[in-house]
Amino acid sequence: MAARDYYSRGQNLLYNRPVLVIFAVIGVFLVFDILRQLGTGTIVVTDLMSYLWNGLVLGMSLGLAGVGLSMTYSILNFANFAHGDLITSGAFAGWATAFLIAGLGEFSVEALVLIGGPIAVGSNELGINVVNTPLALLAGLLVAAALTAVLSLLLDRIVFKPMRSADGVTLMIASVGVALFLRNFLTFSFLTDSRGLTGGNVPQFTIADVTFGGHQITLVVVAALLMLGTHILLQYTKIGMAMRAMAANKDLAKVTGIPTERVVKLTWIIGGGLTGCAGFLIALQQGTLTVTMGWDLLLLVFAAVILGGVGSIYGAMVGGVILGIASRLALVWIPASFLLVAAFVIMIVMLLVRPSGLFSGRTTA
């Protein structure tokens, strides 16, 4: 009887969800192929562990960057294409502060705030890293969060608040204009040169032949703490409960006395602060900074948010980690130049299997 029940369930699954069955079979095949390559020595365990670690670093970057995007969508119901340039703005503000504090008294203020540009102080002269200049990096992280939060709130007041009653497409188009303005302003201020940020002996740790960079560890730890703080804010504070209520039903939230405009402001402040932190930490891990850094990451951030479920903050976190690890594991089969393609293939597969995302489009929480 039990065998017949299992057969019936399997048959129903095959008829009702054939795409899920096909991808499940492919997934099992890929797992067995990894085991086969490990057995034949085509790849070694060290390589696999390196892929997993680098994937986690990328995933935490995308997850943290996606939280602010999910917040905006869940409360204001539009895709903010200026999000990538807010990431870049936070990175530039934070690193200008880090350079200023690390070199104050030795170099001119103008040379420091240009962050390693053509006429500025180079990163090797300052030796900025988590060991030599921890206070400068901490100050940079705080300024990145604060300035991006203020910038987000200012953009809302000037651009998005007067259009609050417009539909999502109109707001999205407006956000594209904001993105272009921010990127051109950064280009005018800092030029397009790629800037080296860190210098000196950056600490590294090797465990079982797998190298863990000090700045990678910093990104993962700080991002995890910020995500934990976001969870505590959403679940255990009045602000978080108000945000979840408004995301679920804005009209009902108004009727019950929730100050919706105040919630919108706090959404921009919190989401902007986390976005600025993400930009600063991503630049720290990469060791370089350009005016197009956030724009280059934006599609991956969107992919992570969609994978986790549009509007779900936890979905953005989990989606980012899954996308990062899966795209790095794809190096077992494809060259590194196709990693972006691999990330979007993963997103498409998830949408085919579960169109509403991992967290079924749950808003905010």
Side-chain angles (χ1 to χ4, degrees):
M1 182 67 72
R4 187 175 299 175
D5 288 340
Y6 284 125
Y7 175 78
S8 178
R9 291 177 185 176
Q11 193 176 40
N12 289 334
L13 182 63
L14 182 61
Y15 285 136
N16 297 328
R17 304 290 298 276
V19 176
L20 176 60
V21 174
I22 292 171
F23 286 127
V25 171
I26 294 173
V28 171
F29 171 79
L30 293 177
V31 170
F32 274 104
D33 187 61
I34 290 177
L35 296 175
R36 179 190 63 80
Q37 293 192 51
L38 287 172
T40 59
T42 306
I43 60 172
V44 295
V45 175
T46 302
D47 292 336
L48 198 60
M49 294 303 295
S50 294
Y51 295 153
L52 289 171
W53 169 245
N54 291 327
L56 178 63
V57 173
L58 174 62
M60 294 298 281
S61 303
L62 297 177
L64 183 61
V67 169
L69 189 61
S70 284
M71 278 189 174
T72 305
Y73 187 89
S74 65
I75 301 297
L76 300 172
N77 295 313
F78 79 97
N80 184 13
F81 274 79
H83 190 75
D85 294 282
L86 287 173
I87 292 174
T88 310
S89 299
F92 269 97
W95 279 98
T97 302
F99 268 60
L100 185 62
I101 293 176
L104 194 61
E106 298 182 33
F107 304 97
S108 69
V109 172
E110 181 183 3
L112 291 169
V113 297
L114 289 176
I115 320 174
I119 61 171
V121 178
S123 56
N124 288 328
E125 297 176 73
L126 296 176
I128 294 180
N129 60 56
V130 292
V131 173
N132 294 342
T133 57
L135 293 180
L137 291 179
L138 177 61
L141 181 67
L142 295 175
V143 169
L147 185 136
T148 313
V150 171
L151 178 60
S152 298
L153 192 59
L154 186 64
L155 289 172
D156 177 58
R157 287 292 184 89
I158 296 173
V159 179
F160 299 118
K161 185 177 180 179
M163 305 172 65
R164 195 84 82 213
S165 59
D167 57 45
V169 175
T170 303
L171 289 167
M172 182 189 71
I173 294 172
S175 73
V176 173
V178 172
L180 292 173
F181 169 78
L182 290 175
R183 202 173 317 135
N184 281 281
F185 177 79
L186 289 172
T187 301
F188 177 78
S189 302
F190 296 98
L191 305 181
T192 59
D193 302 276
S194 177
R195 289 160 160 75
L197 300 176
T198 56
N201 295 319
V202 179
Q204 292 184 337
F205 307 92
T206 302
I207 302 174
D209 293 327
V210 179
T211 301
F212 300 86
H215 293 160
Q216 290 179 317
I217 295 172
T218 302
L219 184 150
V220 170
V221 171
V222 175
L225 291 174
L226 290 172
M227 290 178 184
L228 177 61
T230 303
H231 164 70
I232 293 171
L233 173 73
L234 289 174
Q235 299 297 332
Y236 302 106
T237 67
K238 291 183 178 180
I239 294 173
M241 288 187 284
M243 290 174 67
R244 289 190 286 128
M246 187 171 170
N249 191 318
K250 185 175 181 179
D251 294 329
L252 184 59
K254 284 183 177 180
V255 171
T256 55
I258 292 175
T260 54
E261 193 59 36
R262 182 166 174 259
V263 172
V264 169
K265 292 177 184 177
L266 290 171
T267 299
W268 282 111
I269 291 171
I270 297 167
L274 292 172
T275 301
C277 289
F280 183 85
L281 292 169
I282 291 168
L284 172 67
Q285 185 270 320
Q286 293 179 345
T288 58
L289 178 59
T290 66
V291 293
T292 59
M293 180 190 78
W295 179 253
D296 294 337
L297 280 172
L298 186 61
L299 286 179
L300 280 175
V301 175
F302 267 113
V305 169
I306 293 170
L307 178 66
V310 177
S312 170
I313 289 174
Y314 297 136
M317 297 175 187
V318 175
V321 173
I322 291 175
L323 193 68
I325 292 176
S327 63
R328 285 297 182 263
L329 278 178
L331 288 171
V332 173
W333 301 283
I334 63 174
S337 57
F338 287 91
L339 282 182
L340 188 61
V341 176
F344 282 98
V345 168
I346 294 164
M347 182 195 72
I348 292 170
V349 168
M350 174 54 65
L351 290 178
L352 288 172
V353 174
R354 194 178 178 90
S356 56
L358 289 172
F359 282 67
S360 300
R362 290 176 61 195
T363 54
T364 303

